[in-house]
Amino acid sequence: MSRETLDLWFDTACPWAWMTSRWGLEVAKVRDVDVKFHVMSLNILNRDKDIPADYRKLMDRALAPMRIVTAAIAEHGDQIAEPLYTAIGTRIHPGGEKDFDKAVAEALDEVGLPADLMKYGERDDYDAALQESHDEALALVGDEVGTPICRVGGTAFFGPVVTPAPKGEDAGRLFDGVLAVASTPGFFELKRTRDQDPIFD
């Protein structure tokens, strides 16, 4: 059997993308799956939308980290996406760090990337690359969703939105289900109202 690829699009500010990414890494331990991480931007997604003021502030803050991650990928290769995202996300989500600049600077140091990458947070050098990856994700699922977005078996979905992130064989079984619906022609959606916040562990 050929290996599957699980593509995951993320924004470092999104706790639900974080949960899905942790699930994806667990899947790679128990299934023949390669997990590939891609950037997208909640700032871009919500730029022209009428959203609450508090969320708008978060979206404004969320752009700089994604610019820096995009620059790191462009200058140091796709393989840096997962470790850098993990280092940033660990600080922001389970770590509770509200200062995104601090989280990113510490993460760059942790994964051995140059601190000089921080300059791209305030520059648009790699905005076209961020936009391209973002547009690729939305072209797969439409613009009525946000993060996380996953693609497997040639089909993409918003989600899975899950908390806590399943581990071990539980993660594998969820992947099997996602793969099953992805291979079902005409399947679009399963959904219920969320009644829990993300549980970080």
Side-chain angles (χ1 to χ4, degrees):
M1 292 179 61
S2 61
R3 291 179 67 86
E4 291 285 350
T5 297
L6 175 61
D7 292 289
L8 296 173
W9 278 263
F10 69 91
D11 185 304
T12 54
C14 178
W16 295 108
W18 175 253
M19 302 304 293
T20 302
S21 73
R22 299 311 93 183
W23 162 73
L25 293 176
E26 284 290 313
V27 170
K29 298 176 184 177
V30 296
R31 297 291 186 271
D32 289 329
V33 172
D34 295 315
V35 183
K36 295 185 178 180
F37 287 84
H38 309 271
V39 295
M40 66 178 294
S41 172
L42 289 173
N43 178 284
I44 293 172
L45 183 70
N46 291 286
R47 194 165 285 170
D48 299 320
K49 294 181 180 177
D50 183 16
I51 58 177
D54 287 349
Y55 192 58
R56 174 66 65 196
K57 288 179 183 178
L58 175 62
M59 294 302 93
D60 290 344
R61 293 171 52 229
L63 180 58
M66 292 313 300
R67 281 175 158 174
I68 296 166
V69 171
T70 305
I73 292 168
E75 296 189 3
H76 298 274
D78 291 341
Q79 74 283 351
I80 202 62
E82 184 275 316
L84 181 55
Y85 175 38
T86 291
I88 295 170
T90 298
R91 287 166 170 80
I92 291 175
H93 300 299
E97 180 60 68
K98 304 299 183 188
D99 184 339
F100 288 178
D101 286 345
K102 182 174 184 288
V104 175
E106 291 178 354
L108 290 173
D109 181 64
E110 178 183 324
V111 301
L113 289 174
D116 187 53
L117 284 167
M118 290 295 295
K119 69 186 179 186
Y120 292 113
E122 302 304 320
R123 291 167 46 168
D124 64 1
D125 300 51
Y126 293 103
D127 279 11
L130 177 57
Q131 182 79 56
E132 181 179 3
S133 183
H134 177 90
D135 289 346
E136 179 187 6
L138 294 191
L140 295 169
V141 296
D143 60 4
E144 298 175 359
V145 301
T147 55
I149 289 172
C150 78
R151 177 175 59 191
V152 66
T155 301
F157 299 104
F158 168 68
V161 176
V162 60
T163 190
K167 293 181 173 57
E169 187 56 26
D170 288 341
R173 281 193 293 270
L174 176 57
F175 176 78
D176 296 341
V178 171
L179 188 59
V181 298
S183 64
T184 302
F187 178 86
F188 292 103
E189 186 174 14
L190 280 172
K191 189 168 184 176
R192 63 176 177 163
T193 300
R194 292 195 298 262
D195 59 5
Q196 273 186 278
D197 290 331
I199 298 171
F200 305 122
D201 53 11

